[in-house]
Amino acid sequence: MSHRGPGLACVLTICLGAVGCGSGSATTSGTAVPVAQKKSPDSQAPASAPAHWLPPEPWVYNHWLPYDEGRLYTLLDITRDQLSMQLRDDHRTLAQLAARRGRRDPVALARALVAPQRQAVGPARAAELQRRALATLTQGHLAQHLFFHSLHQFAIPSAAPDIFGLPDAEFRVLRRDELSPMAIGRLHGRSPGRVQGAATAVLRERVNAGVRGKAMTARQGRLLLARQLTQLPRWLDQARYNGPPTTYRGNLEVRPQDYASNPAVSADGRYVAYEAYRQKLPLAVKLGEIAVLRTDLRTGSTTLASRIPADGPSGPNPVSFYNPAITADGRRVVYEASAGNQNFAKRYGPITVVARDIRARRTTPASRPVRARAESQSAYNPDVAASGRRVLYQAVRGGRTVIVSRQRGTGRERTVFAGLPAGGGRYSDPYEPSMSQDGMRVAFSVASGSVSDPGSARSTVRVRDLRTGQRIVAGRANGRGGKVADAFSADPALSADGNVVAFTSTDPVLGLPRGEMGLFVRDLRRGRTRHIVTAPGTRVLEPVVSCDGSVVAFTAVRGDRSRVMVWRAATGAVRVAGRADGVGGEVADGRASDASLSADGRILAFASTATNLPGAAEVRGAQAIYVRDLRTHRTRRVSDVDVAYAGRTLPPGSSPPPTASAPTPAASRTPVAADGTDGAAETVFVTDNAFVRRTQRPVVRIRTGEAVRWLWRARQSHSVRIRLPGSTVGSAIRNRGSYQYRFQRAGTYSVVCSLHAPGMQATVVVRDG
């Protein structure tokens, strides 16, 4: 069984990925970096554009495909799987595929794709849709983005203040540090129920905006929304980031390094499985961007644990393996597997769960494939029983996010919990499942509520006993009938014996001051809930529990600092465990996170970017995996990411990727004041990705006849769109200069960036002069 939390993994290196949204420069990072920076393969990209460039247009960023997807399949007589194989290499285009299917004129094909919409939208709009359709046929990366990366969008990040409780720019920094969107929300006081409801509302608003504006058909809108909402729970809970890097004028801003993440300790304390990120692109595109390694703590040897199943993908298609769980004896490792694209090894397409028997050198699928086309096809978040005979994972079945328990060998499955069908007015989805050592008890959290009523959001921690069928509410106050803490309880961790659940909560029924987050341990047999007291203002992530619940390890976050802590039931004391040798060894000077415990609570593994831990000097500041013996107080680095390359070396002539020598400073995270550049106009700054005038999302108050001036201080492209009664005015999409508008009528006016709506917004209130 796995005792771990796949949480805060701070990545100091920035690396180039092929999938994401950018226009000349990007604000997000991925994991595989080219040896030399390559120009975008798309024909419309400017000469200095990075390889992941996309046209800075709202329809691209919102995935508003200008024709019905099914019509493309009919006209070309292809399946979605055939489309996927064509676009896995984004130097290839749909036009090339169409030519092989007998349609050699992309302009004629674009015209045929939008033909059913001509009468309804009018000639001018039809011409614009045809232009967009042609772009999808002739630009490979654009088509890959539109068809296969429906949650690579700006809508949710731009609404970060509402959804996650922090500015867009800070949200993106934490995502690049591989903190999951759900964890980011928890750190900023947003419950899982609130996060899911708000994110759902934003996605729905963007689809409706595209349909209302005749950018796509209602049928395509329904398909897009179904695809997004069935993927949303996985996306919200996923720590691994799959986007492009921060670049400046086509160069990376930070030199990449291989690193390690997400350890899982075997119950006997002998083995540690973890993720190894490959940063050397020529090898990553052959092997995959992430591998799973296993280190034997007794011998010090490290093994490449992840292998492609006999019936899995092969050939030139890279496959990534990650998010490991490990059996009690360390013999078997279960992990997620996802094929990558052929340009940057970025994860692409459905995710499956795979089991590897290291002793027998055998890899087998551990999840049942899902074939539905309008929903997520992925299986993810695996856990494994101590013997390896049962595997737990999440999937989408019939439009519902479910937790599945699967018997190894027979393939027999049981549904532990099924959420509500995606797309309805109400939602109820499971997160963060963990399994007892015998596989008979499962702990998980549920986010629920009504999309139209944010106040209805609930987040509960539950346990399902598969032997008796009993459903237990574990997130509750002390006593067998203690009040249910359903306002905000999350992050469940189940002990190996299935009797103790650790969870985090901000619910006042647990005796917490309003807004404070607490860590709790619930003894299910005795009906007792115990508060693990941490310093005021501490946010807790991903607790893990020893077999009998007597030891709990967790990540404690205060400001920009994160530490791995350990609590012992016998003393009630909380101590910093992420430290160098000795009882009073130096505390890790970098971020420490991702705790994992052996069954007896003696062996602790964690990830850290520290420079003062044993063995840290050899990894030069990159994140590594460390193990601390809590009895002898010895700490050592155990990750060896070179093993992920299986002895392969870079081809001759390879050179490190170029980095920006003097990039333009990024926009300040702190609010700025207008500088009075134009005495006749109120000034609002256009930054990445917010309108700022002393605060973000400003309200500017003026009188009739006065003007507001927008001044760009951004690296990305943005626009100013002012919604007037019956019309819209504003600037072109740009990344420099200014725009000014004089308001002649009293009223309240909404202002958005067309690329980053609905979150990038401002309000102008005009009173009679």
Side-chain angles (χ1 to χ4, degrees):
M1 125 162 231
S2 166
H3 301 269
R4 89 244 186 261
L8 185 66
C10 176
V11 182
L12 296 183
T13 56
I14 307 296
C15 338
L16 184 62
V19 179
C21 304
S23 54
S25 64
T27 60
T28 49
S29 69
T31 48
V33 183
V35 169
Q37 179 70 37
K38 298 180 180 179
K39 179 186 178 296
S40 168
D42 290 336
S43 58
Q44 294 185 18
S48 62
H52 55 272
W53 179 88
L54 288 170
E57 300 180 48
W59 71 276
V60 174
Y61 289 176
N62 287 290
H63 293 82
W64 293 340
L65 193 68
Y67 47 84
D68 278 357
E69 188 173 321
R71 184 164 175 79
L72 175 72
Y73 304 147
T74 299
L75 291 176
L76 298 187
D77 190 23
I78 60 171
T79 65
R80 184 169 170 81
D81 286 340
Q82 289 173 302
L83 180 68
S84 171
M85 292 305 297
Q86 173 70 8
L87 296 178
R88 176 166 286 175
D89 181 344
D90 61 18
H91 288 82
R92 298 194 295 247
T93 68
L94 281 178
Q96 294 168 339
L97 177 60
R100 295 199 302 271
R101 310 297 294 184
R103 289 185 173 268
R104 304 184 186 283
D105 184 349
V107 175
L109 178 56
R111 187 183 304 115
L113 286 168
V114 303
Q117 300 154 249
R118 288 185 182 280
Q119 187 172 356
V121 303
R125 189 58 165 169
E128 174 60 24
L129 293 178
Q130 184 174 322
R131 179 190 72 81
R132 296 176 184 179
L134 182 62
T136 70
L137 299 175
T138 57
Q139 297 186 59
H141 182 55
L142 170 64
Q144 185 186 91
H145 164 83
L146 287 170
F147 282 98
F148 296 104
H149 301 286
S150 58
L151 282 176
H152 283 203
Q153 35 67 43
F154 282 174
I156 291 178
S158 74
D162 297 325
I163 301 175
F164 304 105
L166 76 169
D168 180 349
E170 295 180 31
F171 172 80
R172 293 173 187 274
V173 168
L174 292 177
R175 282 300 289 128
R176 289 196 295 271
D177 284 349
E178 297 212 333
L179 199 62
S180 74
M182 196 64 87
I184 294 170
R186 292 198 302 267
L187 284 177
H188 293 85
R190 299 297 197 268
S191 72
R194 182 175 174 181
V195 166
Q196 181 170 343
T200 298
V202 166
L203 293 173
R204 186 169 290 173
E205 185 276 337
R206 287 289 83 199
V207 168
N208 290 339
V211 174
R212 283 196 313 270
K214 299 181 179 180
M216 64 177 170
T217 67
R219 181 184 303 162
Q220 184 63 31
R222 288 192 296 270
L223 177 61
L224 172 62
L225 189 61
R227 198 167 277 151
Q228 289 178 325
L229 293 184
T230 53
Q231 293 181 51
L232 183 62
R234 176 189 59 80
W235 183 85
L236 287 173
D237 205 27
Q238 177 178 275
R240 281 145 296 280
Y241 194 71
N242 201 31
T246 51
T247 60
Y248 180 65
R249 294 180 179 174
N251 289 337
L252 298 172
E253 291 189 346
V254 180
R255 188 81 67 192
Q257 286 182 270
D258 297 335
Y259 64 94
S261 183
N262 194 21
V265 179
S266 61
D268 63 7
R270 177 171 176 176
Y271 297 97
V272 180
Y274 57 92
E275 299 164 353
Y277 281 68
R278 301 179 179 109
Q279 304 284 12
K280 302 175 181 66
L281 185 68
L283 298 178
V285 295
K286 296 179 181 296
L287 304 171
E289 66 170 341
I290 317 174
V292 172
L293 306 184
R294 190 199 68 172
T295 295
D296 185 330
L297 300 182
R298 184 178 301 170
T299 66
S301 62
T302 298
T303 303
L304 180 63
S306 52
R307 303 282 181 175
I308 298 173
D311 59 348
S314 60
N317 303 319
V319 180
S320 285
F321 304 98
Y322 46 92
N323 203 10
I326 191 168
T327 55
D329 61 1
R331 172 176 172 173
R332 294 180 177 88
V333 182
V334 178
Y335 42 81
E336 295 176 34
S338 179
N341 69 29
Q342 294 170 335
N343 310 98
F344 298 93
K346 302 302 295 182
R347 285 152 282 150
Y348 178 79
I351 302 167
T352 60
V353 175
V354 175
R356 174 72 175 175
D357 186 325
I358 296 177
R359 186 183 305 167
R361 299 182 180 181
R362 182 172 63 249
T363 306
T364 55
S367 60
R368 189 185 81 190
V370 178
R371 297 299 181 191
R373 284 293 173 262
E375 61 184 37
S376 167
Q377 299 176 62
S378 293
Y380 59 100
N381 264 2
D383 201 356
V384 62
S387 65
R389 293 177 181 172
R390 285 187 180 273
V391 174
L392 191 76
Y393 63 89
Q394 290 182 258
V396 176
R397 303 279 171 83
R400 299 169 182 256
T401 298
V402 299
I403 300 175
V404 176
S405 173
R406 185 177 176 89
Q407 186 79 26
R408 184 172 60 86
T410 67
R412 182 184 176 188
E413 290 189 344
R414 296 183 65 179
T415 299
V416 178
F417 181 88
L420 292 176
R426 296 193 61 83
Y427 58 94
S428 177
D429 286 302
Y431 289 88
E432 308 153 332
S434 63
M435 177 188 283
S436 62
Q437 62 184 349
D438 62 3
M440 288 291 100
R441 278 194 168 183
V442 179
F444 54 96
S445 65
V446 177
S448 61
S450 170
V451 178
S452 60
D453 180 12
S456 69
R458 293 291 180 267
S459 303
T460 59
V461 170
R462 308 182 190 182
V463 171
R464 175 78 186 277
D465 191 313
L466 298 180
R467 185 176 287 111
T468 67
Q470 185 180 15
R471 292 172 170 84
I472 305 166
V473 178
R476 62 194 321 152
N478 191 42
R480 295 192 182 278
K483 290 184 178 180
V484 176
D486 63 354
F488 182 165
S489 295
D491 257 5
L494 187 64
S495 63
D497 65 10
N499 293 317
V500 176
V501 180
F503 64 95
T504 63
S505 182
T506 64
D507 202 309
V509 305
L510 294 169
L512 294 167
R514 186 166 297 278
E516 282 290 311
M517 175 180 280
L519 174 60
F520 299 87
V521 175
R522 174 79 175 175
D523 187 319
L524 299 178
R525 284 186 300 189
R526 298 185 178 126
R528 294 179 55 191
T529 300
R530 189 170 179 179
H531 182 200
I532 298 177
V533 180
T534 56
T538 298
R539 296 283 175 173
V540 176
L541 290 177
E542 283 88 19
V544 289
V545 188
S546 64
C547 179
D548 60 359
S550 62
V551 181
V552 177
F554 57 94
T555 300
V557 181
R558 295 187 70 190
D560 292 334
R561 184 184 65 191
S562 67
R563 290 177 172 174
V564 169
M565 317 286 286
V566 167
W567 170 85
R568 295 185 181 278
T571 63
V574 175
R575 298 284 185 266
V576 178
R579 58 171 74 236
D581 287 342
V583 176
E586 282 188 285
V587 175
D589 59 7
R591 295 188 182 182
S593 59
D594 284 357
S596 179
L597 280 173
S598 60
D600 61 3
R602 174 177 175 174
I603 302 300
L604 168 73
F606 61 95
S608 182
T609 60
T611 62
N612 62 339
L613 297 181
E618 288 87 346
V619 296
R620 300 180 300 280
Q623 182 170 272
I625 304 301
Y626 297 87
V627 166
R628 183 169 176 85
D629 187 319
L630 297 178
R631 184 178 301 169
T632 65
H633 310 294
R634 297 290 303 274
T635 301
R636 56 173 164 152
R637 178 177 62 82
V638 299
S639 54
D640 182 3
V641 294
D642 288 343
V643 175
Y645 292 102
R648 303 193 190 189
T649 58
L650 286 172
S654 298
S655 59
T659 54
S661 57
T664 300
S668 172
R669 291 193 195 180
T670 58
V672 295
D675 59 4
T677 306
D678 186 339
E682 297 285 353
T683 300
V684 176
F685 293 117
V686 182
T687 68
D688 295 325
N689 292 312
F691 295 124
V692 178
R693 184 177 181 270
R694 299 186 181 91
T695 61
Q696 292 196 10
R697 298 182 166 190
V699 177
V700 182
R701 303 181 187 277
I702 61 173
R703 296 188 179 276
T704 54
E706 294 181 343
V708 177
R709 180 172 183 255
W710 282 266
L711 181 63
W712 269 254
R713 286 188 175 175
R715 302 178 65 186
Q716 284 191 347
S717 296
H718 302 284
S719 71
V720 173
R721 306 300 294 170
I722 305 168
R723 295 169 181 167
L724 303 175
S727 64
T728 302
V729 298
S731 74
I733 296 170
R734 59 173 68 151
N735 58 18
R736 65 187 66 184
S738 64
Y739 171 78
Q740 183 168 302
Y741 183 78
R742 194 170 301 276
F743 292 81
Q744 301 296 347
R745 294 176 59 183
T748 299
Y749 300 87
S750 175
V751 184
V752 298
C753 167
S754 62
L755 296 178
H756 297 85
M760 186 171 170
Q761 59 181 261
T763 302
V764 178
V765 178
V766 183
R767 294 173 292 176
D768 286 325

